[in-house]
Amino acid sequence: EYVAAGKIVPTELDMFDASDDRIGPCVHSVNNQLIMPVTARAGGMSWALMLHPEGLECDLFVTHAWSEGIYEFIDKVLNSWPRAARHAYCCMLSNPQNLDIGGLISSPSISPLAVALRTSAYMLVVPTCRCSIYSRIWCSYEAFLAYSESKLILTASAPMFGDGRWLLQITMTMVFVTIVSAVVAAQLELDE
């Protein structure tokens, strides 16, 4: 809705197609044009704390490259969300984007992301069509930390052909063809 309303627009660094509803603007654009202004007006906290001032326990740690389109990101996260997970840590929403984040991550092993990762049961890696997630040093560090902490590491994937009804249609068609084939074969045997 923000793209359609012209509140998130293409930039020199992100020339996304506003009519594209599959990939969308990159996370950098969403952060600069939506997350930062909204959280600044609310007092400068993170998006997560703006919505849940008391905080939430982290079950799922989401790692991503920031260059992915926001629609691509959302589709993959929602499609791959572990059933047992209730709350997620995602840096774009969990870190206060209007602060000097460099201070928060100057000691990686005790940074907010490391603390969140240690409390989570799962790590969800969100790959993108734009680059390797591991071209970002932080994503590589997060993978190392998750592996070191014996976290279940999952790779997010997009829904196959939309909402999945196609799979049910194909399955039902195959079942129907199998039944018809069996009936025809049985009839041919009886005719012999």
Side-chain angles (χ1 to χ4, degrees), residues 34-151:
L34 175 66
I35 295 170
M36 290 178 73
V38 170
T39 57
R41 285 192 302 273
M45 75 291 290
S46 70
W47 190 276
L49 285 176
M50 181 180 72
L51 296 180
H52 303 281
E54 70 287 354
L56 297 169
E57 190 71 27
C58 175
D59 308 295
L60 174 64
F61 185 94
V62 179
T63 184
H64 63 106
W66 282 71
S67 63
E68 69 275 358
I70 194 68
Y71 308 147
E72 174 189 24
F73 175 84
I74 292 168
D75 283 347
K76 288 178 178 180
V77 170
L78 293 179
N79 186 59
S80 306
W81 189 281
R83 290 183 192 261
R86 294 175 28 129
H87 309 116
Y89 174 97
C90 179
C91 59
M92 73 170 140
L93 300 171
S94 300
N95 291 339
Q97 297 298 321
N98 290 298
L99 296 181
D100 175 15
I101 295 176
L104 291 174
I105 60 175
S106 60
S107 295
S109 65
I110 59 170
S111 66
L113 72 89
V115 172
L117 183 52
R118 285 190 182 99
T119 64
S120 69
Y122 311 95
M123 176 188 211
L124 185 62
V125 178
V126 184
T128 176
C129 63
R130 293 186 175 159
C131 72
S132 168
I133 187 170
Y134 299 113
S135 64
R136 290 193 66 232
I137 191 71
W138 274 105
C139 295
S140 297
Y141 176 70
E142 291 163 355
F144 164 77
L145 191 58
Y147 178 79
S148 300
E149 296 282 329
S150 300
K151 301 299 177 183

Side-chain angles (χ1 to χ4, degrees), residues 9-24:
V9 297
T11 66
E12 190 176 301
L13 298 175
D14 183 18
M15 296 299 295
F16 70 90
D17 178 358
S19 66
D20 167 42
D21 63 356
R22 198 173 73 75
I23 303 295

Side-chain angles (χ1 to χ4, degrees), residues 159-173:
M160 297 181 73
F161 302 107
D163 61 10
R165 283 183 275 190
W166 67 275
L167 184 58
L168 179 61
Q169 291 171 338
I170 289 171
T171 303
M172 293 308 294
T173 302

